[in-house]
Amino acid sequence: MSWSLHAVPVHALTEDGMAEWAARAEFRRGLPDRPPARRPLPTVEQVVTALREARCHGEAWFQVDGVDEPLPERPGFRYVGEVGLHFDDGRDRSAMSEPGRLVVGLSFRKPDCAGVLAAVRRLATIGGPQLVFDDSGDDVFVVYPDGDLAVLRAEWPW
């Protein structure tokens, strides 16, 4: 059985039905009273750099033009599973991506959950606060860029 965690910028709560869906989750942490203003989306290159800076490894379910290994596959503490990038232009996710292509969300399939927290915290520094949820949608957790990692770990539901 596969299981995934997903991350999207918190400003996605401005999209139809997202704020209502998140408010109905059984576990909610860090949801803002009002969705924040839209922020610029990170590029593929920025996301790959953030994952590497967070010392994450896993299997990239995407390709980046000019990059042989977008995500290291060596074992370590911060395994983020099979990583998928999501785009808003309707093109195939697994196709070769330009480094400047904008990323609207990430999926982490079969990850070590501590690795995902480290990755998402780093992503929040470039793409703003991140809304994290699992396949069931029962738990939603917002990671802010300045969040204390020890506090986040203690409250992290996965």
Side-chain angles (χ1 to χ4, degrees):
M1 178 173 162
S2 93
W3 175 81
S4 299
L5 287 174
H6 310 278
V8 296
V10 170
H11 68 243
L13 292 170
T14 60
E15 296 173 12
D16 286 342
M18 282 288 289
E20 294 80 11
W21 162 79
R24 287 192 306 267
E26 291 176 20
F27 174 83
R28 296 174 303 283
R29 188 249 186 227
L31 285 175
D33 292 333
R34 280 179 279 142
R38 210 159 177 56
R39 291 183 56 147
L41 294 170
T43 64
V44 169
E45 181 177 35
Q46 289 173 314
V47 168
V48 167
T49 299
L51 292 172
R52 288 178 176 187
E53 288 174 352
R55 295 185 359 251
C56 295
H57 75 96
E59 298 140 52
W61 280 18
F62 58 92
Q63 299 174 0
V64 181
D65 189 27
V67 179
D68 291 333
E69 185 180 36
L71 191 58
E73 292 187 26
R74 59 187 169 267
F77 174 71
R78 292 183 171 157
Y79 179 68
V80 290
E82 300 162 345
V83 180
L85 304 182
H86 303 273
F87 310 102
D88 64 355
D89 58 13
R91 291 189 297 169
D92 182 357
R93 293 186 301 182
S94 62
M96 187 66 71
S97 296
E98 304 83 28
R101 191 173 179 191
L102 298 178
V103 177
V104 297
L106 288 91
S107 293
F108 304 92
R109 183 173 177 258
K110 299 189 284 188
D112 169 52
C113 297
V116 173
L117 177 58
V120 172
R121 185 167 177 264
R122 180 66 187 99
L123 287 169
T125 65
I126 60 169
Q130 298 290 306
L131 175 69
V132 182
F133 53 95
D134 62 17
D135 292 331
S136 72
D138 291 338
D139 299 323
V140 295
F141 192 97
V142 177
V143 176
Y144 291 88
D146 56 354
D148 181 281
L149 194 54
V151 172
L152 292 172
R153 278 188 194 129
E155 297 176 359
W156 188 242
W158 298 284

